[in-house]
């Protein structure tokens, strides 16, 4: 009962904040979102420490302590802006959304799609991944996004309604494997965010910023099993511009040695994500404990 009450309170507070952001002109709500992110940087000591520790381990040899703090603060502000954008999706017109976001490289998606094996979008918790999925759906090809359910069921239902407004569909990360393969064989498009820590039983350990990172092997298995092209896609902010950049499909390693192929392709996917995070480190979610699971021990 206490847990349910907690979820209801969280849902109501979130609803108040959503209503407040939607009541503001968009430009002002973006500033409020960024300010809110900056405020959380200062008051949320635990997540600030996680972000700074991750940055020191990943970029400490390349950046000064001041640079790392600025990147961490920028990451918090990015999340605030992303929230301010995401909460408006249910109330905006199709034309407004298309004006907000530029899409580059859509020909790479179309080229991959012509193979008739479905398409896998490879992405990360970078920029505004939620707005990216919504904007891509306006091209006429809905995306099935693989996601872990939010612990609060009321928030989970609310957020999934927004995610699915434009024909996209959310697949439960815990039970989606067979459904993903079925959808790809029917020519569907699947979106994977492959930048989070996972349990040792589900993982291969590949290099991410010079450290072994437990990375889910499911994407590599699905790509090898179905032959679906893997196309990287990322959301990038540049001043007032929002760009979705779709890259050429990756060259998947297929030697016939399954375990080795799973490792090599997962490493390839992770290198692809690292390359874009290195270019814009303030866009990535550094508060996530990406290196939590260690080789030789189970995820707690």
């Amino acid at each position: 009962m206490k847990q349910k009450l907690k979820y209801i309170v969280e849902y109501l507070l979130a609803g108040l904040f959503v209503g407040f952001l939607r009541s503001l002109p968009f430009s002002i709500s973006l500033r409020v979102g960024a300010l809110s992110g900056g405020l959380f940087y200062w008051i949320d000591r635990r997540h600030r420490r996680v972000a700074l520790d991750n940055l020191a381990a990943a970029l400490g040899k390349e950046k000064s302590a001041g640079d790392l703090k600025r990147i961490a603060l920028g990451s918090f502000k990015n999340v605030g802006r992303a929230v301010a954008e995401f909460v408006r999706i249910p109330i905006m017109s199709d034309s407004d959304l298309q004006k907000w976001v530029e899409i580059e490289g859509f020909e790479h998606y179309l080229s991959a799609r012509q193979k008739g094996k479905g398409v896998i979008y490879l992405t990360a918790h970078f920029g505004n991944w939620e707005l990216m999925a919504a904007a891509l759906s306006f091209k006429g090809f809905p995306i099935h996004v693989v996601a872990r359910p939010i612990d609060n069921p009321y928030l989970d239902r609310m957020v999934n309604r927004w995610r699915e407004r434009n024909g996209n569909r959310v697949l439960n990360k815990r039970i989606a494997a067979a459904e993903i393969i079925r959808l790809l064989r029917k020519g569907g498009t699947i979106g994977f965010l492959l930048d989070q820590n996972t349990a040792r039983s589900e993982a291969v350990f590949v290099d991410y910023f010079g450290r072994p990172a437990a990375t889910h092997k499911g994407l590599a298995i699905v790509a090898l099993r179905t032959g679906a092209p893997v196309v990287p896609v990322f959301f990038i902010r540049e001043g007032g511009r929002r760009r979705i950049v779709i890259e050429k499909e990756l060259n998947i390693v297929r030697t016939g040695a399954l375990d080795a192929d799973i490792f090599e392709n997962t490493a390839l996917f992770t290198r692809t994500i690292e390359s874009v995070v290195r270019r814009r480190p303030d866009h990535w979610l550094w508060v996530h404990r990406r290196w939590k699971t260690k080789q030789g021990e189970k995820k707690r």
Side-chain angles (χ1 to χ4, degrees):
M1 185 63 185
K2 288 183 179 179
Q3 184 76 298
K4 183 176 181 179
L5 181 60
K6 176 177 177 287
Y7 288 155
I8 292 172
V9 171
E10 289 175 347
Y11 175 74
L12 292 174
L13 290 174
L16 288 173
F17 188 59
V18 167
F20 170 64
L21 288 175
R22 288 178 179 173
S23 71
L24 300 172
F26 180 52
S27 60
I28 295 176
S29 70
L30 281 179
R31 294 176 189 172
V32 170
L35 287 171
S36 298
L39 178 62
F40 272 97
Y41 173 80
W42 293 110
I43 67 176
D44 188 347
R45 182 177 179 180
R46 182 171 70 89
H47 284 103
R48 181 176 74 245
R49 187 72 265 157
V50 171
L52 290 172
D53 287 348
N54 282 341
L55 279 160
L59 297 172
K61 294 181 180 179
E62 306 168 26
K63 306 283 186 181
S64 69
D67 288 336
L68 299 182
K69 289 179 181 178
R70 282 188 286 274
I71 292 169
L73 177 59
S75 176
F76 275 73
K77 288 183 175 180
N78 175 70
V79 172
R81 292 188 187 96
V83 170
E85 291 163 339
F86 183 51
V87 302
R88 296 186 95 89
I89 287 177
I91 61 171
M92 73 174 68
S93 68
D94 294 358
S95 60
D96 283 341
L97 182 53
Q98 292 179 71
K99 289 175 185 176
W100 278 13
V101 184
E102 303 171 30
I103 300 177
E104 300 177 10
F106 195 69
E107 67 274 12
H108 300 316
Y109 169 80
L110 294 177
S111 177
R113 187 175 174 81
Q114 288 177 356
K115 296 186 175 183
K117 296 182 178 181
V119 178
I120 297 171
Y121 274 135
L122 168 68
T123 192
H125 294 84
F126 181 91
N128 191 339
W129 55 95
E130 301 281 10
L131 181 60
M132 179 174 71
L136 286 171
S137 70
F138 280 112
K139 287 290 190 176
F141 303 99
I143 305 168
H144 297 79
V145 180
V146 181
R148 185 183 75 83
I150 298 171
D151 292 335
N152 185 320
Y154 302 104
L155 290 177
D156 188 61
R157 284 194 291 270
M158 178 178 74
V159 168
N160 284 342
R161 282 198 302 270
W162 301 348
R163 288 169 170 166
E164 295 181 343
R165 176 204 151 186
N166 301 310
N168 290 343
R169 181 181 166 200
V170 178
L171 301 177
N172 189 325
K173 183 178 181 179
R174 296 168 182 157
I175 59 173
E179 178 72 355
I180 289 167
I181 291 172
R182 185 185 70 81
L183 289 166
L184 286 170
R185 286 175 174 165
K186 291 177 63 178
T189 302
I190 309 292
F192 278 88
L193 293 95
L194 198 69
D195 60 333
Q196 292 203 318
N197 182 70
T198 193
R200 187 169 180 265
S201 61
E202 303 170 330
V204 289
F205 286 84
V206 297
D207 184 272
Y208 188 57
F209 285 93
R211 303 166 67 190
T215 307
H216 205 291
K217 58 189 175 183
L219 173 53
I221 292 171
V222 169
L224 289 166
R225 184 175 296 180
T226 64
V230 179
V231 178
V233 57
F234 299 100
F235 182 104
I236 299 172
R237 300 182 190 280
E238 291 179 344
R241 296 175 65 200
R242 300 171 191 83
R243 295 193 301 133
I244 295 172
V245 179
I246 304 173
E247 301 177 2
K248 292 181 180 178
E249 70 173 274
L250 298 174
N251 292 320
I252 301 301
V253 177
R254 290 187 173 87
T255 67
L258 182 60
D259 288 346
D261 287 353
I262 290 171
F263 177 87
E264 291 299 333
N265 288 304
T266 305
L268 169 63
F269 303 152
T270 304
R271 285 196 304 271
T272 301
I273 291 171
E274 180 180 331
S275 69
V276 74
V277 174
R278 282 187 175 277
R279 292 196 294 272
R280 290 300 305 266
D282 61 317
H283 278 37
W284 193 58
L285 198 66
W286 290 98
V287 298
H288 173 65
R289 295 181 64 190
R290 180 65 180 93
W291 296 271
K292 179 181 178 181
T293 301
K294 308 298 183 184
Q295 285 180 297
E297 65 181 53
K298 295 180 180 180
K299 181 182 175 183
R300 296 175 183 176

